[in-house]
Amino acid sequence: MTEPIVTLATCADFPELDEDNRALPDALRERGIEPRIAVWNDADVDWSQAGMVVLRSVRDYARKGRYQSFLAWSRSVPRLLNPHEVLVWNSDKHYLNRLAALGVPMIPTTWLEPEANYSKHQVHTRFPAHGDFVVKPAISSGGRGTGRYTATDARSRSEAINDAVHHLGRGRSVMVQRYLEEVDRKGEVSLVYLNGVLSHAVEKAPMLHPSFRSTDQVHEEIVTAREPSQQEWLWGEQVRKAIHQLIKDTAGRDMQLLFNRVDVVGDGRGGFYLMEVSLIDAGLYLGSAPGALDNFADAIAQRVFW
């Protein structure tokens, strides 16, 4: 009997997968699956023969000139997880507005759209008057292009203006959000769901330190595995339900997500803010949380042998 094929889609930066996913092929072999690794935009790959395709280290999809190509590629792959219909909206952080409309708390955000043709002064007037704030493009991967700035520091504010104008000039929508001190105090919590079931959780240390500046490099995360509190579990369930409502609204039907990472942070008042939902290039912390690798391999196997 021929073993079923699962192709792990990656990018040219990580032709053998990134470190967190490096042990996944062996875990799949242990479950009677033939794993393959392929770069998503490699013209020599026949995706019709790739079996089930699982998105993994596709961190370059948001780079200039590749975004539309990535979406076109995802549409063409016969058996892709997560599916194309989900990738379209999750690749643009405007989805946060749609989740907010479904009752998910979101950090108050000022959106700067490229078609508005803002002057530098107009960008300046849309920044907070005090405290630290974050500027980031609405389409990005791995935190590329994200910067933390201080409103009352002239040099920092000038750098933030240049950062925003840079993105806008390249046709990118820009998000401006007040930096949450709760992130410095407690960090973010990532809840990882596999086939709709909570698998594991990690706490992420702050990445945007006061001296942090925007960069096109992928941000390295410092994570600690831990059990989510009952409160965090409830937060995650609220977000997860809203995600599936959004899927129904956009695709006309619900879909079972192979993987879903929900990043939340406390609001300091007993509630939470949603930071991000990662359904494309989500780091799943397979090497950081006990049992996470086996859980993911089992989740893939369940989909293969359904």
Side-chain angles (χ1 to χ4, degrees):
M1 180 177 176
T2 303
E3 292 183 335
I5 297 169
V6 168
T7 299
L8 305 173
T10 185
C11 67
D13 293 342
F14 302 99
E16 300 300 324
L17 302 176
D18 62 16
E19 183 177 354
D20 195 50
N21 290 280
R22 205 67 52 78
L24 184 56
D26 285 342
L28 294 176
R29 289 188 188 95
E30 293 172 0
R31 288 157 175 81
I33 296 170
E34 178 188 339
R36 297 179 182 175
I37 303 171
V39 174
W40 71 266
N41 54 353
D42 184 344
D44 293 330
V45 177
D46 183 355
W47 293 99
S48 68
Q49 301 300 312
M52 181 179 290
V53 178
V54 176
L55 291 170
R56 282 294 73 227
S57 314
V58 291
R59 297 188 191 174
D60 65 344
Y61 77 87
R63 290 183 190 169
K64 184 177 180 181
R66 298 185 187 178
Y67 177 61
Q68 292 300 331
S69 296
F70 175 77
L71 292 183
W73 167 81
S74 71
R75 186 185 299 109
S76 72
V77 178
R79 299 177 64 197
L80 180 66
L81 295 176
N82 288 320
H84 166 77
E85 295 94 328
V86 171
L87 310 190
V88 172
W89 61 258
N90 188 240
S91 62
D92 186 330
K93 291 182 177 60
H94 282 91
Y95 73 80
L96 292 169
N97 288 330
R98 303 170 79 173
L99 291 177
L102 293 170
V104 176
M106 186 182 81
I107 301 171
T109 302
T110 297
W111 296 87
L112 306 180
E113 304 297 347
E115 57 268 23
N117 295 315
Y118 295 110
S119 66
K120 283 192 173 184
H121 177 72
Q122 288 172 322
V123 170
H124 159 76
T125 61
R126 284 159 175 78
F127 288 164
H130 57 84
D132 282 11
F133 63 97
V134 175
V135 172
K136 56 186 172 183
I139 298 175
S140 67
S141 172
R144 286 188 179 93
T146 300
R148 176 180 173 182
Y149 304 97
T150 301
T152 55
D153 182 282
R155 180 177 177 181
S156 182
R157 196 176 185 92
S158 176
E159 290 174 343
I161 293 169
N162 290 335
D163 183 16
V165 169
H166 168 82
H167 293 308
L168 291 168
R170 282 155 180 76
R172 304 169 186 161
S173 298
V174 171
M175 305 169 66
V176 181
Q177 297 177 326
R178 188 174 298 282
Y179 184 79
L180 298 179
E181 293 182 1
E182 197 71 10
V183 175
D184 283 339
R185 287 195 290 267
K186 296 185 178 180
E188 295 179 40
V189 175
S190 289
L191 305 166
V192 177
Y193 298 84
L194 303 174
N195 285 337
V197 178
L198 180 62
S199 167
H200 54 282
V202 301
E203 184 176 291
K204 299 191 291 189
M207 291 191 300
L208 301 185
H209 301 292
S211 60
F212 188 88
R213 292 296 175 264
S214 176
T215 176
D216 283 334
Q217 299 301 313
V218 174
H219 298 173
E220 295 299 324
E221 296 178 321
I222 300 174
V223 302
T224 304
R226 67 169 176 81
E227 290 295 319
S229 67
Q230 180 70 13
Q231 185 182 48
E232 291 164 348
W233 182 85
L234 290 172
W235 293 347
E237 285 302 297
Q238 181 178 341
V239 177
R240 193 176 66 85
K241 289 177 181 177
I243 291 169
H244 283 277
Q245 185 60 56
L246 178 54
I247 291 173
K248 290 178 185 178
D249 292 344
T250 55
R253 60 187 175 90
D254 200 0
M255 301 176 187
Q256 181 70 275
L257 300 171
L258 173 61
F259 60 89
N260 171 16
R261 196 190 80 210
V262 173
D263 297 341
V264 297
V265 62
D267 63 7
R269 303 184 301 274
F272 77 101
Y273 286 121
L274 172 65
M275 302 292 282
E276 186 174 5
V277 172
S278 296
L279 307 178
I280 303 175
D281 62 333
L284 301 180
Y285 313 112
L286 302 180
S288 301
L293 175 64
D294 285 334
N295 289 350
F296 191 39
D298 286 342
I300 294 172
Q302 287 171 12
R303 302 298 284 269
V304 169
F305 295 113
W306 273 358

